Amino acid sequence: MKIIHSFEELHEIQHNIVIALGTFDGIHIGHRAVINHAKQIAISHDAVLVVVTFEAHPLSILSPSHAPKSLALKETMYAVLDELGVQYVVSLPMTIDLLRMSAHDFMEALSIQNNLLAVVVGENYTYGAKGLGNITTLQSYFTGTMTTVYVEPLSKWHNSDTPISSTVIRDAISCGQIEYANELLGRAYSFTGTVIKGDQRGRTLGFPTLNFLFPSCMVTPMDGVYANRVCIKGTWYNGVGNIGDNPTFLNQYHRCEVHVFDFDQSVYGETVIVEFIAFLRGEEKFDSLSALIEQMKLDEEKALRILADKNFI
């Protein structure tokens, strides 16, 4: 998969192309439906599959304090797109000039080459300055051309009337409904982080942990204890982790720490992937170390049962 960042680079692609258009900010199962539809069309026409998206949310320019938190770091997003069979990703930098581009000019810049066979979008897709472009204007723009517009209905979860959306998933993660969020994402919610030195208290308690600062750009899971999966140097391990500020102890700071089962290596400075599999309980303050240790043993047992039920053990 090749990642490019401009319309000009898009125009250099010499093959017939099919484009999936969207923000794709979480690559949830609704986004996957759009991309998979585009993939089917590309395969049937021996064309190249291209995803066109944006490097950031418009509010990151217009009102940074109101910009929604991310559901995936770039490396996660690109890995998922690669797994889906995308051949090119056009990740457009979010700029004032892009935000001011009219819906007509945006489509003009997108389709100036004559090898665009199809565009696939979700039914709520908007584009151009102030989001004035929509499905109707998109279809109108390509009327009479070789380009066909396909509109993918919004995906819904089982019997729910509410369409799957990044907003719904953000709310679920923030409320500790991580398994529900994972179902809507079609993958485990995860982040990539660098192992930092903690208080090294866990080792004295019999539960050594890997410590991380959770990425500030991402939606932070609700404080509490989770069943986790951790990828270290290409190998996946199971574990139980905590997000919070350890209220049992003084002078703590907000962080993520994971006790990795059957692992006893020094990996400070290593970049690892942490997945959140299930929420076990909220963060608590314990009256004694013995009470804390007893609860940690129970958390480990519960995490092991859940991970085994999900065939991770």
Side-chain angles (χ1 to χ4, degrees):
M1 187 179 77
K2 185 174 181 180
I3 302 165
I4 57 181
H5 300 280
S6 68
F7 293 116
E8 289 75 20
E9 291 173 286
L10 171 63
H11 302 158
E12 293 174 1
I13 299 174
Q14 298 300 309
H15 307 279
N16 288 336
I17 65 174
V18 174
I19 289 178
L21 268 176
T23 55
F24 303 130
D25 53 342
I27 316 293
H28 57 60
I29 58 178
H31 297 149
R32 290 167 187 252
V34 172
I35 294 167
N36 283 327
H37 189 172
K39 180 180 178 179
Q40 293 169 4
I41 298 167
I43 291 172
S44 65
H45 290 82
D46 193 25
V48 170
L49 174 59
V50 179
V51 163
V52 177
T53 187
F54 307 97
E55 288 191 353
H57 193 279
L59 285 176
S60 66
I61 298 291
L62 299 174
S63 181
S65 63
H66 293 93
K69 295 288 188 177
S70 173
L71 292 173
L73 296 175
K74 284 183 182 178
E75 51 262 45
T76 302
M77 176 181 175
Y78 292 151
V80 173
L81 291 175
D82 191 35
E83 290 173 3
L84 291 174
V86 175
Q87 289 150 292
Y88 288 86
V89 176
V90 184
S91 183
L92 297 171
M94 186 55 64
T95 64
I96 288 293
D97 287 342
L98 181 64
L99 290 173
R100 290 174 176 169
M101 187 179 288
S102 70
H104 179 275
D105 288 348
F106 182 83
M107 280 303 142
E108 190 82 359
L110 186 74
S111 60
I112 194 171
Q113 78 273 25
N114 60 7
N115 58 341
L116 177 56
L117 299 184
V119 174
V120 184
V121 295
E123 66 178 271
N124 63 345
Y125 181 70
T126 60
Y127 61 98
K130 299 181 180 179
L132 294 179
N134 54 32
I135 300 307
T136 301
T137 61
L138 180 63
Q139 292 171 325
S140 176
Y141 179 86
F142 286 110
T143 298
T145 71
M146 67 170 284
T147 304
T148 304
V149 175
Y150 296 86
V151 180
E152 181 71 19
L154 297 180
S155 299
K156 296 181 180 179
W157 186 246
H158 295 323
N159 298 321
S160 173
D161 291 329
T162 303
I164 296 169
S165 71
S166 296
T167 299
V168 169
I169 297 171
R170 289 187 188 96
D171 290 344
I173 293 169
S174 299
C175 294
Q177 298 175 321
I178 200 70
E179 291 181 89
Y180 176 54
N182 290 347
E183 289 174 345
L184 300 188
L185 283 169
R187 60 181 175 83
Y189 187 57
S190 67
F191 73 93
T192 302
T194 301
V195 180
I196 62 173
K197 277 203 171 185
D199 300 321
Q200 299 185 313
R201 185 182 295 110
R203 190 170 298 276
T204 65
L205 298 177
F207 292 88
T209 60
L210 305 185
N211 291 262
F212 309 88
L213 296 178
F214 194 85
S216 60
C217 63
M218 294 187 69
V219 182
T220 306
M222 187 174 86
D223 285 358
V225 180
Y226 293 82
N228 296 103
R229 293 265 290 160
V230 181
C231 184
I232 306 170
K233 299 180 180 180
T235 300
W236 283 96
Y237 300 87
N238 296 311
V240 60
N242 181 79
I243 282 191
D245 52 15
N246 294 320
T248 301
F249 304 99
L250 299 175
N251 302 318
Q252 299 299 293
Y253 58 93
H254 203 269
R255 62 190 161 191
C256 173
E257 50 187 327
V258 182
H259 169 57
V260 183
F261 304 144
D262 303 317
F263 185 83
D264 187 22
Q265 299 177 31
S266 177
V267 288
Y268 294 129
E270 285 287 339
T271 299
V272 306
I273 302 170
V274 179
E275 292 184 341
F276 295 87
I277 305 303
F279 179 77
L280 305 185
R281 62 174 176 84
E283 191 169 50
E284 300 176 45
K285 181 176 181 179
F286 294 90
D287 295 330
S288 66
L289 285 181
S290 60
L292 171 60
I293 292 171
E294 185 61 32
Q295 182 59 57
M296 292 169 72
K297 291 178 181 177
L298 295 174
D299 294 337
E300 179 174 347
E301 292 171 1
K302 185 174 182 180
L304 284 167
R305 287 197 301 271
I306 290 172
L307 292 165
D309 287 344
K310 295 181 181 294
N311 297 317
F312 290 126
I313 296 177

